[in-house]
Every structure is written in structure tokens, then in C-alpha cells.
Amino acid sequence: MTEQIKHLSAEAVMAPFVGRDHLTNRELFGQLALQLDLPESVLDSRAPVGKSGKECNLFERKVRWHQQTLKHLGVLERVDRGTWRLSGEAQKELTPAPKRSVLLAFSTDLGCALWASAEDVFSGLGEEITLAFTSPPYPLAKQRAYGNVDQTAYIDWLLPIMEPVVKSLRPGGSIVLNVGNDIFMPGSPARSLYVERLTLALHDSLGLHLMERFVWHNPTKPPGPVQWASIKRVHHNTAYEHVLWFTNDPELVLADNRRCLQEHTEKHRRFVGSGGVKRYTRNTGGAYTLREGSFGAHTEGAIARNVLTIPHRCPDQQPARDFASANGLQAHPALMPVRLAEHFVRFLSEAGDLIVDPFGGWATTGRGAELNGRRWLVTERCREYLMAAAQRFRDAPGFYSPMECSNA
Ligand SMILES: C[S@@+](CC[C@H](N)C(=O)[O-])C[C@H]1O[C@@H](n2cnc3c(N)ncnc32)[C@H](O)[C@@H]1O
């Protein structure tokens, strides 16, 4: 069998059905041949198969074999003889990964995005993780299109997914969770304590140590909570979310703030240029003493503060936004900016380390890792998010996407 037929994947066979009512086998064979750029010799290659030794077209046989697998997984259904379409489930706006199936969505030389539930990937990883940077679905009262559980079920849902990730963490590795702050008790302006409960559960059940509760200050966060700030007027508008940082071993923690220094302000540069502190000063309470010349030495950059101010929209998302809008797909409703991911990637890992995100979305964590020379693995349950996410990696060395039916 030729190599091209051998490597024809189920994802490639499924891709031409997206956006089509149905396809006859003739149309499907034609599209695959075109998109995979298969020469006629491959399309026509025949050989005796099975016990009967009957001559068969190997390309068509392989496509039919994948059709049966996709039917078994509930992705394709037969309309009539020789005509297939995406099944009712798969035609919904967001296509969930079939149960217990792990399919490659796209990859680069450094990493890959899998169309799969996190539950089906991380227990069999067999590689040490340096950092898991992720934003799980928040326990919102109003469901997002991709689904989420409410605050009462949240910890029982999240912990089993995170457990295999924590088990694969190398000593001193980190788990960083971006979690929503704007979760309220039902019908009440009192905030949920789920973040506190989650923190305790990660410590008590998974043995993680809390290193920091970072604040992600988002200056462009839309006003809210509307009910409590705009209507009842008992709250301020919110402008931040939590980023909780845990490690399995605080003594060995693989962190280095020199990898994520921030640019000095112009004012600071002038201060250093003029020699630093001008005269001895002692705070009356003894809190600090400043000697002449203190802070006069040039440094590479400022140590970042634990409040990170980054707007949520970023230009890096644009190729995915353009693709989603051109193809009638939903834009992902809960994106983080790549600068946030990059900050933690640099702070908590070195080039070549493995970074993962079980709740991949538009693969922002993968992108942050890719841009900084780290290896990466993300899993995402909804196929359409991955199709858009792939557009962010098109220029990355080794980009390959079987979902698009082409070796771009
Ligand atoms: C808050 S979003 C993450 C967005 C991401 N940080 C980004 O910037 O693109 C959470 C994502 O987790 C996905 N998801 C939920 N449960 C999942 C599971 N069990 N396995 C894999 N993905 C899951 C949802 O489809 C959603 O896209």
C-alpha cells in the first residue's frame, strides 16, 4: 500500500463533510484526491485483499474503512447507499469529541492540539509536565455554549480531570489556574467561596501547595456583574480574575522571575541615570532605610508585580477570529490574552520544557509556549474551536493539520 494511503486519517475523511449537507462517495473521493494532492497512480492502485484475494481499489477501501469507524463513533451516518453526512450530534454548532477518541487537530514541530476530552489523554501521557497553564470553564450560573457545571458540582468535576495532570508533574512543576471571580450565591450579591474551596481541595486531595494568588487585571473587561453593580448598585464593576499558582514542591519550584522581567519606565531610567537615591532616608517606623546611591545600578528590567494588567483582546487572536467569522463559526467566548500565557510560560519553564492545557479553547497556552520555544500539548473538546485555533499556528515550523485535509 502506498505511504499516502497508509497515512490517510479518519480526520481527513471527515473534514470534507463540514458545512455540507451530504456527500456521495464519488464526491468524497474526488475532494480527498484534490485536497491531499494524490496522483492518479495512488487513486487507482489495486491489489488482492482478504481471504478471497479479490482485487480491490486500496484508496477507496481505506476511505470506506474510516467511514465505518466514524459511523461507529457517532460522527458520520449513512443517508443511503454510497451517500454519507455528519450525524445529528456532529452537525450541532459545536462538535464534541467522540467518547474515548483522541484525534490530532493540528501540530507544529513543538507541540500538538488534540480534539479530545482531557479525561481521555492525560492519564496515559508518559511524559513529565513542567507547567499546566489553564482556564477551566467557570462555574457560571448561565451555561456557556461549550458547557459548564455549577459551583456546587465544580470541585467534584474538576479534580478528577486535574489529578492525572498533577501526577505527571515533574518535581517543582507548576499548575496555574485562571478562574473566574464573578460567581455569586444563587439570587444573592454574596460571592461564592468556590475559589477558596477549590484551593483547599487542590491542597488536601492532590497535595499541591499554593504559591500565589495572582490578580489578572483586565482593564477592558466589560462592565458587570450587571445585576449587582448596574441594577441594584450594591457592587463595583469588576476588573480582575484570579490566577492561582500551585506547585507540587515549593522547595524545588522551577520558577525564575528573571525570565519575565518588565520594561523599566522612562521615569525609572532617569532616576537610575541620575545616580539613584540622593540622600540617606529612614522611615520613622523603621520600615525601610534608603542609603545614598541606592537603586542607582542598571538592571535588566523590573521584577513583575503580582497584579498583571493585560487587556483581554489581543492581535494574536485575529487569524482565528477571521477564520471563525468567514466560516460562520462562533468566536470563542472566553479567551485569555496570549501575553498572560506567555508571562507564566517564561516565569515557570525553560526552553524545551513541556507545557500543557487540558482546557485548550483557541489554544492560547499552546501559542504562548510556541512563541517561547517550549513544547506543548493542548486538549479541547469542541472541534470548531480547534479549527479556528489552528489559524494562529499556520506560520509555525512544521505546521500540519489533518483536520484541514492538507499538509500545509
Ligand atoms: C475557558 S475556555 C478556555 C479558553 C482558552 N484559555 C483560550 O484562551 O483559548 C475552556 C475550554 O475548555 C473546553 N473543555 C471543557 N471541558 C473539557 C474537557 N473535559 N476536555 C477538554 N476540553 C474541555 C471548552 O470547550 C472550552 O473551550
Side-chain angles (χ1 to χ4, degrees), residues 349-372:
S349 71
E350 290 183 292
D353 287 344
L354 178 64
I355 318 280
V356 303
D357 185 350
F359 303 101
W362 272 6
T364 306
T365 299
R367 185 75 181 138
E370 178 80 37
L371 292 172
N372 289 279

Side-chain angles (χ1 to χ4, degrees), residues 94 116-119 134-138 144 146-147 157 161 178 317 332 334-337 357-365 379-382 385 392:
L94 292 175
S117 288
E119 297 87 315
T134 191
S135 176
Y138 299 168
R144 282 275 158 86
Y146 51 71
W157 165 77
I161 300 181
N178 163 223
Q317 297 158 355
H332 198 291
L335 294 173
M336 53 174 137
D357 185 350
F359 303 101
W362 272 6
T364 306
T365 299
T379 56
E380 166 55 49
R381 211 170 44 178
C382 300
Y385 293 154
R392 305 174 85 177

